[in-house]
Amino acid sequence: RVQVVGSIASVPQEIKHDPALDNSSSIRTYLDPEHEHYDFELTKFLKGLELSRLKLTDSAKTLSGGQKTRLAITRALLAQPDILILDEPTNYLDAKGKKWVMEFISTYQKSIIIVSHDLSLLDHAIDKILFINAQTKKIEEYKGTYSQFLKLREEKVNLTKKQHKASAAHIQSMQEGLRMGPQSVKQRIQLQKRIARE
């Protein structure tokens, strides 16, 4: 059971239908519905997300899907929710735009959940990874970047393999001892119990 406390904003991979955007009279009213930001702040975000050609007075309804998605990301970043959920936030960006998003995310003071295949984003902006282990059905926590996670995960898998191999060899040794060696009934029962525990 997950309990969420605080405000949440999420941006899908692609904006197809956004009532808030469709009902806004301008880009400015969409980005800042509560009028909490100065124009220069909004323009700074638009520039960072490669939308500097747009004017705050323009209509958002006629924009392309990629532009609408970047506007939605801008709106979410400006709102600074307690939990920000982004699905492939660098999809429509070039290297400069990706760098801007990475830097913003890496300094975000609240919680961010990111779905991304962009390894450079994951490496730059993340300091902790929660990994769902399909075998154990448990969540494992790894501190560090995505590259560090891959290294630590590989080390853990290799260690587990070694432990299983050593355990299997130990069981085989006890089974051979059970077959070959002369033991009392009590010793055989104890050995069988040890094998079962292994």
Side-chain angles (χ1 to χ4, degrees):
R1 184 172 174 235
V2 177
Q3 184 177 7
V4 178
V5 178
S7 57
I8 301 174
S10 66
V11 182
Q13 188 170 342
E14 184 179 358
I15 297 292
K16 293 182 179 177
H17 178 64
D18 182 351
L21 189 146
D22 294 337
N23 295 324
S24 295
S25 59
S26 68
I27 288 175
R28 197 198 196 295
T29 56
Y30 172 67
L31 293 179
D32 187 21
E34 303 299 323
H35 303 287
E36 296 175 334
H37 301 278
Y38 294 108
D39 284 2
F40 78 87
E41 293 179 272
L42 304 180
T43 304
K44 178 184 172 185
F45 273 79
L46 291 178
K47 183 179 178 183
L49 285 159
E50 300 169 5
L51 295 169
S52 55
R53 291 183 182 180
L54 300 181
K55 295 177 182 176
L56 293 174
T57 53
D58 289 346
S59 171
K61 300 171 190 176
T62 58
L63 299 177
S64 69
Q67 288 174 318
K68 287 180 179 180
T69 301
R70 282 179 279 163
L71 273 185
I73 292 173
T74 305
R75 177 180 160 111
L77 296 180
L78 283 164
Q80 295 205 349
D82 297 306
I83 300 174
L84 177 59
I85 304 170
L86 300 174
D87 187 357
E88 301 289 356
T90 58
N91 253 11
Y92 296 97
L93 301 172
D94 64 15
K96 189 177 179 182
K98 286 182 180 182
K99 184 180 178 185
W100 187 90
V101 169
M102 290 175 202
E103 287 177 354
F104 184 92
I105 289 173
S106 66
T107 59
Y108 195 72
Q109 297 299 308
K110 300 174 184 179
S111 299
I112 301 182
I113 298 172
I114 298 174
V115 178
S116 179
H117 293 91
D118 189 332
L119 298 184
S120 60
L121 172 68
L122 297 176
D123 246 8
H124 188 87
I126 288 176
D127 59 9
K128 181 169 70 174
I129 291 175
L130 299 177
F131 174 75
I132 301 173
N133 190 318
Q135 278 74 42
T136 63
K137 312 290 188 214
K138 293 181 180 178
I139 295 176
E140 299 171 3
E141 182 179 318
Y142 294 85
K143 292 182 179 178
T145 65
Y146 185 70
S147 291
Q148 290 168 333
F149 156 72
L150 291 177
K151 185 179 178 183
L152 291 170
R153 178 71 192 143
E154 184 180 9
E155 289 173 358
K156 190 169 185 177
V157 168
N158 289 337
L159 178 62
T160 301
K161 285 180 180 177
K162 285 180 182 177
Q163 288 172 338
H164 283 314
K165 192 174 180 180
S167 179
H170 185 56
I171 289 171
Q172 186 177 0
S173 173
M174 287 192 293
Q175 287 173 333
E176 287 177 3
L178 190 61
R179 285 195 303 268
M180 304 290 289
Q183 299 112 353
S184 66
V185 173
K186 186 177 179 181
Q187 287 175 320
R188 291 179 67 83
I189 291 172
Q190 287 176 338
L191 195 52
Q192 285 172 339
K193 284 181 179 178
R194 285 182 61 192
I195 292 172
R197 282 196 301 271
E198 293 286 332

